[in-house]
Amino acid sequence: MRLILFVSAWLFCLGAAQASTSTPAPSTTTRLDHILLWGRSIDQVTSVMAVKLGFQVRPGRDPGGVANRYIRFSDSSFIELLGTTRPNPTFDPGMKEDQQALKGGPGSRSFGFRTSSLDDIHRSLQVLHYAVTPFFSGPDSSKPGWRLFAFDHAPLSSNTFFIDYAADYAPDQFDPSNADDHRVTREHPNGVRELTSIWLVSGDAEADRQQLEKMGFGHAVPVKLPAVGAKGFCVPVGPTALLTLQPDGAGLAQQVMASGGPRILGVSFAVNDLERAQRWVERGYERKLATYRGLSGESVLAPTQDDLGLSIEFHAMPSSSTPCPATSL
């Protein structure tokens, strides 16, 4: 069974027993792993990602009329694409809730943290009285794959889960018997190398920041994103950053909140050659795009809201290993 079938269902599973442990595990053991991105159909979202944006899209499966495909990166992160392939597909509860919130359109409302401290974080969150689910694992085979847990009630404005992978889980990790395939499937025509940040938008960025701090992800930095008309906080999550944002006057963030409510507003990627990525997007969308100074340096914003229900930002490879700036205010 595909990962999404487990993740989306477990976002609504029932509670976990209490346990005792210390404070939450340090965020240095954790990073952002992937988002679940719905298209109007699987072919539509695949075409946008591949033709207009220059990503390499890998095959997935199609049980019950809901197909998935993958875009994998050299830092081990990825995007899971989702879309229906027939009328009246079989939705599990999580899929149904996402589709209702997205009104059947494109967009993303769920993302995952990857951690090597899965058990410690699970115990810590129980002590803090978060309604976490039991552990679930997959795929259905005798070989170790992945384990995850989610929440009965989402603590953030978008749904989230924590996941870890077995060291030899080939679909998401390095397979020593096929190094060339592992490398080639993570090389993209647009030059993307790394997932650097996920942007959450809601009506209360401070509430998300407080929840993240309670969960063990502190050191938030106040930020503004004039390119999308948003302000809030940059929260470091290992080598990646989670932005908790709210509208800041007129702009894209305000439009998204007015039309669809809280969700993932955007995703940032580091590229080898920003001019190459910019040219690819300009050809795909048949328009000129201006660069700007973003949180990660020189950046360009692809005009993807209508196609994908979120924004995609490309920026040059960062010169600093710090995921959040000292300040952008």
Side-chain angles (χ1 to χ4, degrees):
M1 185 181 294
R2 302 188 337 270
L3 174 57
I4 176 56
L5 290 177
F6 288 93
V7 170
S8 55
W10 296 335
L11 292 174
F12 301 92
C13 286
L14 294 176
Q18 294 294 319
S20 61
T21 188
S22 58
T23 56
S27 60
T28 52
T29 66
T30 305
R31 59 158 295 141
L32 297 176
D33 188 56
H34 70 284
I35 67 168
L36 310 178
L37 175 59
W38 286 90
R40 292 186 176 89
S41 70
I42 193 63
D43 290 335
Q44 178 264 345
V45 69
T46 297
S47 176
V48 171
M49 299 301 284
V51 178
K52 290 187 175 183
L53 298 175
F55 289 102
Q56 180 183 181
V57 182
R58 306 298 296 171
R61 297 182 180 180
D62 183 9
V66 181
N68 72 336
R69 292 173 184 167
Y70 297 96
I71 301 172
R72 304 189 184 281
F73 306 110
S74 58
D75 66 348
S76 76
S77 64
F78 63 99
I79 299 174
E80 184 169 3
L81 306 180
L82 298 166
T84 58
T85 56
R86 62 172 172 81
N88 301 314
T90 303
F91 291 129
D92 64 32
M95 292 178 181
K96 185 176 181 180
E97 195 270 346
D98 269 357
Q99 284 291 285
Q100 288 175 342
L102 295 170
K103 302 176 183 177
S108 179
R109 300 182 64 257
S110 300
F111 70 99
F113 294 90
R114 176 186 293 184
T115 180
S116 59
S117 304
L118 196 66
D119 295 280
D120 291 340
I121 291 178
H122 189 265
R123 287 191 295 268
S124 298
L125 293 174
Q126 285 181 314
V127 166
L128 292 169
H129 305 294
Y130 283 101
V132 292
T133 69
F135 288 104
F136 299 89
S137 60
D140 295 330
S141 72
S142 59
K143 187 175 181 179
W146 46 263
R147 290 194 308 147
L148 69 76
F149 69 87
F151 296 84
D152 295 341
H153 308 289
L156 303 175
S157 57
S158 285
N159 292 324
T160 191
F161 52 92
F162 286 82
I163 190 167
D164 193 19
Y165 303 91
D168 59 350
Y169 180 48
D172 293 299
Q173 303 293 325
F174 176 63
D175 181 359
S177 68
N178 201 351
D180 288 339
D181 183 64
H182 181 276
R183 174 182 55 81
V184 169
T185 59
R186 287 150 177 82
E187 293 179 352
H188 299 277
N190 58 19
V192 167
R193 299 289 296 171
E194 302 173 355
L195 166 69
T196 53
S197 66
I198 295 173
W199 313 352
L200 308 184
V201 66
S202 71
D204 190 348
E206 172 65 12
D208 275 347
R209 185 205 66 78
Q210 290 179 1
Q211 285 293 332
L212 285 165
E213 184 173 49
K214 181 180 177 182
M215 294 163 67
F217 302 101
H219 309 290
V221 176
V223 295
K224 283 192 175 183
L225 276 68
V228 294
K231 66 179 180 180
F233 303 93
C234 178
V235 180
V237 183
T240 56
L242 186 59
L243 307 187
T244 68
L245 304 171
Q246 66 188 50
D248 184 27
L252 190 58
Q254 184 181 75
Q255 296 169 21
V256 169
M257 283 294 295
S259 62
R263 63 190 58 214
I264 294 175
L265 176 65
V267 188
S268 291
F269 298 100
V271 299
N272 285 328
D273 184 338
L274 183 59
E275 290 185 2
R276 176 185 177 88
Q278 181 180 356
R279 289 196 301 271
W280 194 288
V281 177
E282 288 177 337
R283 289 195 299 267
Y285 281 90
E286 299 182 339
R287 69 181 76 173
K288 285 291 184 181
L289 300 173
T291 60
Y292 58 92
R293 189 70 180 175
L295 297 183
S296 300
E298 195 69 14
S299 307
V300 64
L301 193 68
T304 54
Q305 274 291 336
D306 289 343
D307 284 335
L308 301 177
L310 55 69
S311 294
I312 291 185
E313 180 189 71
F314 300 101
H315 61 82
M317 294 292 292
S319 57
S320 171
S321 60
T322 303
C324 292
T327 181
S328 74
L329 301 181

